[in-house]
Amino acid sequence: MKNSQNKIIFLILFGLLLNIHSIHSQSVKEIEIFNWFDKNAGIEALDIKNGPAHLNFDKTIDNQHRYYSVNEFKKGSARYGSQNYFDLFLKYDIYADELVLRPYDEQNTTKINIIKANITSFKIGNENFVNLKELNNTAFKGGYYEEVPINSNQVFYIKYYKEKKKNHAKEELNLIEYIPQYEFVLWKENKFNLINDKKAIIALFPESKSKINDFYFMNRSLRKENTPLFMKNLIKFINN
């Protein structure tokens, strides 16, 4: 019997024993039961564990890394196939565009690249990412994007990725430098729009041209120091 079917059976059995009076408490209890099952079954029994081993032999300069935000696993969740998984240890390899899973057992050093085709969405910390499969094989980068809902008609997406560059200062060490890059996409007027520069943004919001220019002028430092946050704030500012 498949793991997801086993979980359903466990939920039914626990539901018969638990006197739960509200929808909210049911949701919390369901997550707790899923987590209990996952941890006691072991990572080897989970559908989500299917995937190749994650290998990283990078030697980088200045403690750089290929991952989103930090080079460590953080608590998160994922939608894999038709199943939700909670309290996973995840990190996002933005160079290879792979979601990496660490087993619950810290003694198990094998890390897994979760099969991307089966991932609908995942969450690490407070950021929610979606797999925009419809952008694959197009002019867009495709794959995983951070999703930022703006309003009922607009959704802002950020593609995080890194380019690898060999550092030739000490060529014998074969050191790697990772350069952060971004692709910004706005779902508006029932289509995905690439908005990597001010000209493209103004083309989508011609009535807000002066507002956009003012925001660029007032937030030059933020744009240089944290481009994704600058863009998030800009799109929200335009729509306020």
Side-chain angles (χ1 to χ4, degrees), residues 58 84 108 131 139 177 235:
D58 292 343
N84 291 319
N108 186 346
N131 188 1
E177 180 179 4
I235 298 303

Side-chain angles (χ1 to χ4, degrees), residues 17-225:
L17 297 173
L18 296 171
N19 184 17
I20 303 170
H21 299 287
S22 69
I23 294 175
H24 174 72
S25 61
Q26 282 183 335
S27 299
V28 172
K29 185 59 65 176
E30 181 178 298
I31 292 173
E32 291 176 354
I33 294 170
F34 278 159
N35 292 343
W36 178 88
F37 181 89
D38 290 346
K39 291 178 181 178
N40 284 275
I43 196 68
E44 294 77 10
L46 303 182
D47 293 337
I48 199 172
K49 69 92 184 178
N50 294 314
H54 176 72
L55 304 176
N56 180 5
F57 302 108
D58 292 343
K59 294 180 180 179
T60 62
I61 63 172
D62 301 326
N63 295 316
Q64 293 184 7
H65 57 82
R66 58 168 57 204
Y67 303 100
Y68 170 74
S69 184
V70 294
N71 183 16
E72 61 185 45
F73 287 90
K74 299 177 68 175
K75 277 288 188 73
S77 59
R79 177 77 175 175
Y80 182 88
S82 59
Q83 180 65 58
N84 291 319
Y85 292 86
F86 305 96
D87 284 348
L88 301 172
F89 292 100
L90 302 170
K91 64 180 175 179
Y92 175 23
D93 179 349
I94 63 174
Y95 173 72
D97 201 40
E98 297 285 356
L99 181 61
V100 186
L101 172 68
R102 192 195 81 190
Y104 293 118
D105 180 7
E106 294 187 14
Q107 301 303 314
N108 186 346
T109 59
T110 300
K111 312 302 186 297
I112 298 165
N113 286 340
I114 304 175
I115 298 174
K116 188 190 298 184
N118 296 337
I119 290 286
T120 302
S121 62
F122 65 91
K123 188 172 184 178
I124 297 179
N126 295 320
E127 285 77 45
N128 187 60
F129 293 82
V130 293
N131 188 1
L132 294 183
K133 300 175 185 179
E134 57 267 55
L135 295 187
N136 295 340
N137 303 314
T138 68
F140 298 91
K141 297 289 291 183
Y144 297 127
Y145 289 75
E146 182 185 0
E147 181 180 61
V148 183
I150 303 299
N151 55 43
S152 59
N153 300 313
Q154 296 178 40
V155 183
F156 181 51
Y157 296 97
I158 304 174
K159 177 68 180 182
Y160 298 88
Y161 63 104
K162 289 185 177 180
E163 293 181 349
K164 183 186 288 187
K165 179 182 177 182
K166 290 287 182 68
N167 186 283
H168 297 290
K170 296 182 179 180
E171 191 169 338
E172 70 277 5
L173 298 178
N174 200 29
L175 296 179
I176 294 170
E177 180 179 4
Y178 279 112
I179 304 172
Q181 302 288 347
Y182 314 97
E183 179 184 82
F184 302 108
V185 177
L186 184 67
W187 172 260
K188 184 177 185 289
E189 299 172 352
N190 294 316
K191 67 176 182 178
F192 293 102
N193 302 274
L194 191 64
I195 53 169
N196 283 343
D197 55 47
K198 184 165 68 171
K199 182 179 178 180
I201 299 169
I202 292 174
L204 278 179
F205 301 96
E207 72 285 354
S208 301
K209 182 176 180 179
S210 60
K211 197 174 182 180
I212 294 168
N213 285 330
D214 289 345
F215 189 89
Y216 267 81
F217 179 77
M218 293 184 296
N219 295 274
R220 286 173 294 180
S221 296
L222 179 61
R223 184 187 177 201
K224 183 177 181 180
E225 296 166 4

